[in-house]
């Protein structure tokens, strides 16, 4: 099973993406601090002009962002208490060059994940409790395929920061942060579980057979 913590390069890029989120928050005037007793390194208290919010920082190296349901299947784990989600994605999955930072209201993100969860449940998808539900950052939301319900997070919330990955120095992480990373990887699920879109399937097949994607025809039978 592969995930975003499976290779040294992926660990480094994850740290760079996380740091890009922190850098962008500070550039936008937010003071960032840890929340005592929160127990999650990806959750931060952010304050600006007397306003205080809880921010959940999520990173993705495949342009799909995930949140897991809690163990009782009643809410979205760390998303449930978030006032804001700082979603940090690579610009391109296969050859990433930039960290793209998006600020999303927590209520909007919850509505998107609620829609996605309801749609997939109605379609008969198996969604083990505690495993991540994945939403596309840059595909348009659509009813079909069902995996695009809730998508388009990065399109509807344009990036407030776009930072070259080569300019970001990955910092060392302490034992608590590494433990949180391991738990986050387990909760988010395998990066290979990200739903495959028709466009991406055509692109991959075109590369395999050395033809233009327009030459690929895919028929899906239910």
């Amino acid at each position: 099973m592969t995930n975003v913590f499976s290779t040294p390069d992926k660990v480094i890029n994850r740290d760079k993406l996380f740091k890009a989120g922190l850098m962008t928050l500070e550039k936008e005037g937010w003071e960032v601090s840890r929340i005592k007793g929160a127990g999650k390194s990806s959750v931060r208290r952010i304050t600006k002009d007397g306003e205080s919010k809880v921010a959940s920082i999520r990173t993705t190296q495949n342009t799909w962002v995930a949140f897991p349901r809690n163990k009782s299947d009643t809410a979205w784990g760390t998303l449930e208490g978030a006032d804001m989600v700082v979603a940090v994605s690579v610009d391109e999955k296969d050859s990433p060059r930039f960290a793209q930072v998006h600020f999303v209201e927590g209520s909007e993100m919850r509505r998107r994940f609620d829609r996605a969860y309801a749609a997939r449940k109605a379609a008969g998808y198996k969604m083990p409790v505690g495993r991540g539900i994945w939403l596309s950052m840059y595909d348009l939301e659509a009813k079909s395929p069902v995996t695009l319900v809730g998508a388009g997070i990065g399109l509807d919330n344009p990036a407030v920061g776009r930072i070259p990955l080569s300019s970001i120095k990955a910092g060392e992480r302490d034992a608590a942060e590494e433990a949180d990373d391991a738990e986050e990887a387990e909760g988010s699920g395998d990066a290979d579980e990200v739903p495959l879109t028709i466009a991406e399937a055509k692109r991959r097949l075109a590369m395999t057979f050395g033809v233009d994607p327009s030459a690929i025809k895919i028929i899906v039978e239910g």
Side-chain angles (χ1 to χ4, degrees):
M1 175 167 138
T2 59
N3 58 53
V4 297
F5 307 105
S6 63
T7 68
D9 284 346
K10 288 183 179 293
V11 172
I12 290 172
N13 279 339
R14 191 272 179 184
D15 288 348
K16 287 185 175 183
L17 292 173
F18 194 89
K19 191 171 182 178
L22 297 177
M23 291 166 60
T24 302
L25 281 167
E26 292 172 351
K27 183 178 179 180
E28 292 296 313
W30 292 96
E31 181 180 340
V32 184
S33 61
R34 292 182 179 275
I35 300 177
K36 187 176 181 180
K40 296 291 179 183
S41 66
S42 60
V43 178
R44 293 288 193 274
R45 172 76 61 188
I46 60 174
T47 56
K48 179 180 179 181
D49 299 329
E51 182 181 18
S52 176
K53 294 184 177 183
V54 174
S56 176
I57 304 174
R58 304 298 286 187
T59 65
T60 172
Q61 296 187 53
N62 51 43
T63 74
W64 289 64
V65 66
F67 275 99
R69 299 283 288 179
N70 62 16
K71 293 181 179 180
S72 59
D73 198 21
T74 57
W76 289 103
T78 57
L79 174 58
E80 195 62 24
D83 301 305
M84 178 193 292
V85 175
V86 181
V88 190
S89 174
V90 293
D91 59 319
E92 206 279 328
K93 181 179 69 172
D94 295 324
S95 301
R97 294 185 300 160
F98 294 91
Q100 301 189 150
V101 185
H102 304 262
F103 291 172
V104 187
E105 289 295 323
S107 56
E108 177 188 338
M109 193 69 92
R110 284 187 288 274
R111 287 194 298 269
R112 286 180 181 274
F113 274 86
D114 285 343
R115 292 200 301 274
Y117 184 74
R120 296 180 194 192
K121 188 173 183 179
Y125 275 54
K126 293 182 179 179
M127 296 175 287
V129 173
R131 300 291 286 178
I133 302 294
W134 292 87
L135 291 186
S136 173
M137 292 288 295
Y138 305 120
D139 287 311
L140 286 170
E141 180 168 7
K143 293 182 179 180
S144 180
V146 71
T147 51
L148 291 183
V149 174
I153 299 161
L155 300 178
D156 294 336
N157 300 273
V160 295
R162 193 168 190 264
I163 306 172
L165 289 169
S166 60
S167 71
I168 305 172
K169 182 179 179 181
E172 295 183 358
R173 303 175 67 76
D174 59 32
E177 290 174 323
E178 291 176 356
D180 285 346
D181 282 351
E183 183 174 341
E184 181 177 320
E186 176 63 23
S188 295
D190 193 325
D192 293 336
E193 292 175 356
V194 173
L196 182 65
T197 64
I198 295 295
E200 177 65 7
K202 286 185 175 182
R203 186 186 71 81
R204 294 186 191 180
L205 287 170
M207 291 177 61
T208 300
F209 295 109
V211 299
D212 189 91
S214 62
I216 302 294
K217 307 297 182 184
I218 296 178
I219 299 175
V220 179
E221 296 182 349

